[in-house]
Amino acid sequence: NITIIAVTKSFPPGIWDAVLQHNLTIIGESRIQEVDIKSKKFTKRKKIELHLIGHLQSNKAKKAIQLFDVIQTVDSLKLANRINIISNQEEKKQKIFLQVNTGGDLNKHGFSPQEIVRAANEIAEMKDISLIGIMTIPPNNISEENLQSIYKVTRKIRDTVQKSIEICCNNLSMGMSNDYEIAIAEGATHIRLGKALFGERPQL
């Protein structure tokens, strides 16, 4: 079973209604400010599940917790600690994925494959966080063989975390419009599609 995350960043506020009309209920966004604006103009919030798929700065964690059902891009223990503290204050158990930089891309965020399991151990103990998945964003412009390898390693990381640390960590978010078939073949449960669904993103 593959979950499609409709990536609507940079599209105008009406895009959420359009997505819902096509029976897509899981939406991915990257920018806190943009989501804040869209949320105020959207009347069917309970019908969608909103995922943060962009980098989250610690100083925007409170707003992210207020806006998003799932934060996919938890990339440090410091950020996880902050989410845990604020979630307690907000009386919410925040669902998260841990982002792993499996490809070792200096331009991408995420835990290294070497540190992800130890970090997951600590984060799974945090009372106001629910660790439900692992996500990765591979380097740009790499071969199909390298992409397969990155996705395979990421799946093994998810398997390890689920079996030995947190049984609820059963989700694997990897694959976008240009490579989702490879991601699915390697075990993705969530694919993040923008261009494949909506065409080219408007330039802001």
Side-chain angles (χ1 to χ4, degrees):
N1 291 329
I2 306 299
T3 298
I4 293 175
I5 300 171
V7 179
T8 54
K9 66 180 180 181
S10 301
F11 284 91
I15 191 71
W16 290 2
D17 287 295
V19 166
L20 204 49
Q21 285 168 10
H22 287 84
N23 298 316
L24 291 167
T25 57
I26 302 189
I27 291 175
E29 287 275 356
S30 297
R31 303 181 188 97
I32 304 288
Q33 192 174 3
E34 186 180 333
V35 172
D36 201 17
I37 292 166
K38 286 177 177 174
S39 295
K40 287 169 181 164
K41 299 183 179 182
F42 185 66
T43 59
K44 303 180 182 111
R45 179 62 181 86
K46 290 183 179 176
K47 293 189 176 182
I48 65 167
E49 183 176 281
L50 202 53
H51 287 230
L52 177 62
I53 58 169
H55 177 60
L56 176 59
Q57 296 170 312
S58 287
N59 63 347
K60 295 182 179 174
K62 182 173 182 177
K63 197 68 181 173
I65 289 163
Q66 292 169 344
L67 289 170
F68 288 92
D69 301 297
V70 180
I71 298 172
Q72 284 204 18
T73 48
V74 176
D75 58 7
S76 69
L77 280 170
K78 178 187 171 188
L79 180 59
N81 269 308
R82 183 152 175 78
I83 291 171
N84 188 52
I85 291 165
I86 296 169
S87 295
N88 179 268
Q89 294 166 354
E90 296 284 319
E91 298 182 345
K92 175 184 182 183
K93 188 151 188 173
Q94 180 65 54
K95 293 177 181 177
I96 69 162
F97 288 36
L98 298 184
Q99 181 175 356
V100 57
N101 188 359
T102 319
D105 185 346
L106 297 177
N107 297 311
K108 299 284 192 300
H109 298 278
F111 293 98
S112 72
Q114 293 74 33
E115 66 184 352
I116 184 75
V117 173
R118 181 181 60 79
N121 246 318
E122 287 192 46
I123 291 165
E125 296 297 316
M126 296 179 185
K127 295 279 191 292
D128 294 290
I129 279 179
S130 180
L131 173 55
I132 63 167
I134 301 293
M135 80 90 80
T136 195
I137 304 171
N140 299 330
N141 304 317
I142 60 171
S143 69
E144 188 171 313
E145 187 179 356
N146 283 345
L147 206 50
Q148 284 176 323
S149 175
I150 285 168
Y151 286 159
K152 196 184 296 288
V153 169
T154 307
R155 189 192 73 235
K156 288 177 180 176
I157 289 168
R158 190 280 315 269
D159 291 348
T160 299
V161 172
Q162 186 183 17
K163 286 174 185 171
S164 62
I165 298 169
E166 175 52 81
I167 196 167
C168 294
C169 185
N170 56 351
N171 300 300
L172 187 56
S173 174
M174 57 187 196
M176 295 177 274
S177 293
N178 60 341
D179 65 0
Y180 65 88
E181 291 172 328
I182 297 169
I184 290 169
E186 295 301 334
T189 62
H190 291 62
I191 55 174
R192 308 181 298 269
L193 303 184
K195 185 178 177 181
L197 295 175
F198 311 114
E200 291 294 340
R201 190 175 297 128
Q203 296 300 311
L204 292 181

